[in-house]
Amino acid sequence: MLTTLSIRNVVLIEALDLEFGAGLGVLTGETGAGKSILLDSLGLALGARADSGLVRSGEAQASVSATFEPPAPDHRAARLLADNGIDIEPGEPLIIRRTLKADGGSRAFVNDQACSAALLRELGGALVEIHGQHDDRGLLNPRGHRSLLDSYGRCDTGAVASAHAAWRAAADKLAESREAVEIAARDRDYLTHAVEELSRFAPEPGEEAALAEERATMQKGARLADDLSAVTDCLTGSDGGLAQLRQAARRLDRIVSEYEPLADVLAALDRAVIEAGEAEDRLAGAAEALSFDPARLDAIETRLFDLRGLARKHQVQPDDLAALRDDMAAKLAAIEGGEEHLAALEAEVAARAADYARAAQALSAARKGAAARLDVAVAGELAPLKLDAARFRTVVAPLEEGQWSAHGMDRVEFEISTNPGAPFAPLVKIASGGELSRFILALKVALAEQGGADTLIFDEIDRGVGGAVASAIGERLARLARTNQILVVTHSPQVAARGAGHMLIAKSSDGTVTRTGVHALTDGERREEIARMLSGAEITVEARAQAERLLEV
């Protein structure tokens, strides 16, 4: 609900702060007093096109702030703000502010957080509906008619949404599987050859590193074999160093028995023989470790070359060849069992489509029943509003299958015919602003609490009517105000008398500057204003008495 509106430097308004309450609020004033400026100011705050002509002459910029009660968490406005990353503390009022520079630049804010004009426009539509001669939102927008009808008829759309989701999921799975099978089938020959080739080769993860290490070891052995052989020859054999050491030690052993001082030399020779023997053993071990089979080395190099060649061919790492083989084998298996699998998926899609069709047809039937009831309800409101020659109908028409959605298989639109024999047409095609506003009122009364913004503004809904019709309009506005905040700009005393609050819009001038102001009327001032609306420039006793009677209704 709109609670306050602050306007600065908009056309004839220098500074204006207004407070609004619940129920039906009326705004009256003489023609040219500035009622349209007030609505233009509110429209600017709600995201209307920024026209630099709204900036008061001589001022650098204009600004308008509109404050609303805190929206409920599930309110469309709250969801919009959350989706766009604008945070509002629980219980905090919603403040929309728009500034407009004289050069045409504008900025928008929600609780002092900058936002785009597009978001402001969408947010404004969720908070306020303004119904006037040129309004093309609210009930005039066919995109909202289906949800309004569903709310009015309490049509359960959940089953259709669930069935549609299941149908789409099955269809997506079928499409993915069909594409996979088609791609695999095109590559059947390639896959068959590749799987056979890889299976024959039988690559294993880690094989490249093992082969490369074994080859490096063998190549090292080939380089060191001759040197090891020469070193071994120096130590071993009848003429080798170790044999000479042993022979020297035996001879020295005989000498030591006769010449004791050489015992230390014999001990050194014995140690040399022992260490030379250990060296011989280690050389033998090294030679064995570095020994290689040329045929084995050739086989390793061939295997390693082929392994790396296959990896390059399939554009993978050598260690990934085994996994590639398994993946290709799985694709081949999918080709073999593909048609059977696709047939099962096609049956699933058909079953889910049938479920959706049943749910959607039941929803269509419920909508048609609700449409018939709504048509009767609206028809009952037309005659008292001097629209007795008009006809209203709710069109529930089937959509093409390609347009079926989670909302069902129906197109819903409100249509009217304003004269006998005239064809039905969308609400937005109505030429007369007064007729359009009264149609909107009839629809709003019939729909009661079914969706829409919390605040509704009717601009001169009583244009061109009076007497009983004006009374009927006032009575219906008051009825609608039980569940919504209603603001109405009116020239009708019958409508004005129904208001819970009354504001007078007046223009004043000091000879040099003209200003528009708004004044909340007391009970006595309100009686005088309604009497003026009844009698014109000169307020008569009869007019005051009639005003009293209207206020007592």
Side-chain angles (χ1 to χ4, degrees), residues 7-11 13 41 44 51-52 54-56 59-64 97-102 105-107:
I7 306 171
R8 299 290 183 270
N9 299 320
V10 176
V11 194
I13 299 175
S41 299
L44 179 66
D51 182 355
S52 60
L54 291 174
V55 180
R56 183 177 171 82
E59 299 294 338
Q61 73 172 25
S63 67
V64 183
R97 180 165 59 91
R98 185 95 176 271
T99 61
L100 173 62
K101 293 183 178 180
S106 71
R107 297 186 67 190

Side-chain angles (χ1 to χ4, degrees), residues 46 66 79 120 142 172 248 316 335 411 491:
L46 298 176
R79 295 196 300 269
L120 190 65
D172 290 344
V316 297
I335 294 175
R411 174 182 66 84
H491 290 288

Side-chain angles (χ1 to χ4, degrees), residues 162-187:
S162 297
H164 183 267
W167 177 27
R168 292 317 314 160
D172 290 344
K173 186 175 181 180
L174 172 61
E176 291 173 3
S177 297
R178 182 174 286 137
E179 182 181 8
V181 168
E182 289 175 354
I183 292 174
R186 289 196 300 267
D187 298 335

Side-chain angles (χ1 to χ4, degrees), residues 12-30:
L12 298 179
I13 299 175
E14 187 174 19
L16 192 60
D17 295 296
L18 304 177
E19 294 184 359
F20 300 94
L24 175 59
V26 299
L27 296 95
T28 63
E30 295 182 357

Side-chain angles (χ1 to χ4, degrees), residues 56-80:
R56 183 177 171 82
S57 177
E59 299 294 338
Q61 73 172 25
S63 67
V64 183
S65 295
T67 303
F68 295 84
E69 289 183 335
D74 60 346
H75 194 282
R76 180 184 162 204
R79 295 196 300 269
L80 273 173

Side-chain angles (χ1 to χ4, degrees), residues 190-408:
Y190 166 74
L191 288 172
T192 301
H193 170 76
V195 169
E196 290 177 353
E197 181 182 44
L198 289 171
S199 297
R200 285 195 304 270
F201 194 81
E204 296 180 1
E207 183 179 5
E208 182 195 27
L211 289 173
E213 183 178 359
E214 186 177 357
R215 182 186 66 174
T217 300
M218 285 190 173
Q219 289 174 336
K220 184 186 295 184
R223 292 195 305 271
L224 300 179
D226 291 342
D227 291 338
L228 283 176
S229 178
V231 171
T232 301
D233 289 345
C234 289
L235 288 177
T236 60
S238 58
D239 296 328
L242 183 57
Q244 295 294 331
L245 284 173
R246 287 171 177 162
Q247 183 178 0
R250 286 195 297 272
R251 290 182 178 179
L252 188 59
D253 184 54
R254 291 195 295 271
I255 295 172
V256 167
S257 61
E258 297 179 11
Y259 187 66
E260 185 67 25
L262 293 178
D264 291 341
V265 177
L266 179 60
L269 279 175
D270 288 341
R271 290 196 297 274
V273 169
I274 293 171
E275 290 182 0
E278 291 178 352
E280 182 183 36
D281 293 339
R282 291 183 180 181
L283 283 172
E288 184 178 354
L290 292 174
S291 65
F292 71 99
D293 180 357
R296 173 59 183 164
L297 178 59
D298 184 64
I300 289 174
E301 289 184 333
T302 300
R303 176 76 177 178
L304 193 57
F305 179 82
D306 292 342
L307 181 68
R308 290 172 174 171
L310 277 175
R312 287 193 300 272
K313 176 180 178 180
H314 294 289
Q315 298 181 347
V316 297
Q317 294 298 317
D319 286 350
D320 295 331
L321 285 171
L324 178 66
R325 175 198 59 207
D326 295 341
D327 181 60
M328 288 180 169
K331 289 180 179 179
L332 273 176
I335 294 175
E336 300 300 326
E339 290 190 3
E340 181 179 348
H341 179 60
L342 290 179
L345 289 178
E346 287 169 353
E348 176 69 12
V349 171
R352 299 291 76 79
D355 292 343
Y356 171 81
R358 282 192 295 271
Q361 287 164 3
L363 178 58
S364 295
R367 282 173 173 161
K368 289 174 182 176
R373 297 193 300 274
L374 179 59
D375 292 352
V376 172
V378 174
E381 299 292 335
L382 295 180
L385 297 175
K386 202 179 178 180
L387 294 169
D388 45 315
R391 292 174 297 156
F392 172 88
R393 73 179 183 185
T394 304
V395 176
V396 181
L399 292 168
E400 296 292 332
E401 183 173 344
Q403 297 176 296
W404 292 357
S405 71
H407 303 292

